[in-house]
């Protein structure tokens, strides 16, 4: 299973020059906990960082930093870790675990943003798969009961 098959392709993006308040408003408007910071060169949109609601709370608000003076580039993650859309879901999860990352941009072979995968997305997928396994067991048990009659 490739990560490109399961990633969310409706990604909310932000420019690095946007203010923290603008980023927070985008998160609120789109009901997301993170924005992919991008560099746009013509039609190519390349992820360069991520900024999350947690970053805002822990790094800025809790430290009582004046957010009116900061831009997204001041807060975004330093080294961006991403997945290529044909990477396996398993390898992507391992990358997320290794980096302690809840959200990971998914890119094409040329580095263009194609989606984002979050821990929540993976949990939903795994829950669906676990449900299918439970239904298999239940079906098998029902057939066994029919045979006993």
């Amino acid at each position: 299973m490739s990560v490109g098959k399961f990633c969310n392709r409706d990604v909310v993006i932000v420019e690095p020059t946007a203010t923290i308040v603008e980023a927070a408003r985008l998160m609120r408007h789109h009901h997301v906990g993170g924005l992919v910071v991008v560099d746009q060169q013509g039609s190519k949109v390349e992820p360069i960082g991520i900024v999350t609601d947690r970053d805002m709370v822990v790094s800025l608000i809790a430290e009582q930093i004046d957010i009116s003076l900061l831009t997204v580039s001041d807060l975004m993650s330093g080294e961006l870790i991403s997945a290529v859309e044909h990477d396996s879901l398993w390898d992507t999860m391992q990358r997320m675990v290794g980096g302690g990352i809840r959200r990971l941009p998914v890119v094409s072979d040329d580095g263009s943003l194609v989606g984002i995968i979050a821990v929540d997305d993976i949990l939903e997928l795994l829950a669906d798969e676990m449900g299918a396994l439970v239904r298999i067991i239940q079906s098998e048990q029902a057939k066994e009961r029919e045979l006993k009659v």
Side-chain angles (χ1 to χ4, degrees):
M1 292 190 291
S2 70
V3 69
K5 183 177 179 183
F6 298 104
C7 71
N8 181 349
R9 293 186 181 256
D10 186 24
V11 184
V12 184
I13 62 173
V14 67
E15 297 279 340
T17 56
T19 68
I20 298 300
V21 172
E22 290 169 331
R25 287 184 180 143
L26 272 173
M27 287 182 198
R28 180 178 170 185
H29 177 75
H30 293 281
H31 307 286
V32 296
L35 305 171
V36 177
V37 185
V38 298
D39 178 32
Q40 295 188 3
Q41 301 294 326
S43 64
K44 184 176 181 182
V45 177
E46 186 175 346
I48 58 172
I50 289 186
V51 64
T52 68
D53 51 3
R54 181 173 169 78
D55 294 334
M56 291 177 185
V57 171
V58 172
S59 299
L60 301 178
I61 296 170
E63 296 296 324
Q64 298 180 338
I65 295 173
D66 183 1
I67 61 172
S68 67
L69 304 174
L70 301 176
T71 64
V72 168
S73 65
D74 295 319
L75 183 60
M76 71 181 194
S77 57
E79 182 181 334
L80 181 66
I81 298 173
S82 60
V84 179
E85 61 186 325
H86 55 74
D87 288 348
S88 76
L89 189 58
W90 177 258
D91 289 342
T92 301
M93 286 190 307
Q94 296 307 309
R95 193 172 298 131
M96 293 170 83
V97 169
I101 301 167
R102 293 182 50 88
R103 296 171 186 88
L104 196 69
V106 179
V107 298
S108 64
D109 286 327
D110 73 352
S112 296
L113 180 66
V114 296
I116 190 165
I117 189 87
V119 169
D120 297 1
D121 301 323
I122 296 170
L123 285 172
E124 185 177 333
L125 171 65
L126 293 175
D128 290 345
E129 297 301 315
M130 294 297 282
L133 292 174
V134 168
R135 288 189 297 279
I136 291 169
I137 292 169
Q138 291 170 336
S139 176
E140 179 184 39
Q141 290 171 343
K143 287 182 187 217
E144 288 175 359
R145 282 192 293 276
E146 287 175 11
L147 292 174
K148 291 181 182 178
V149 175

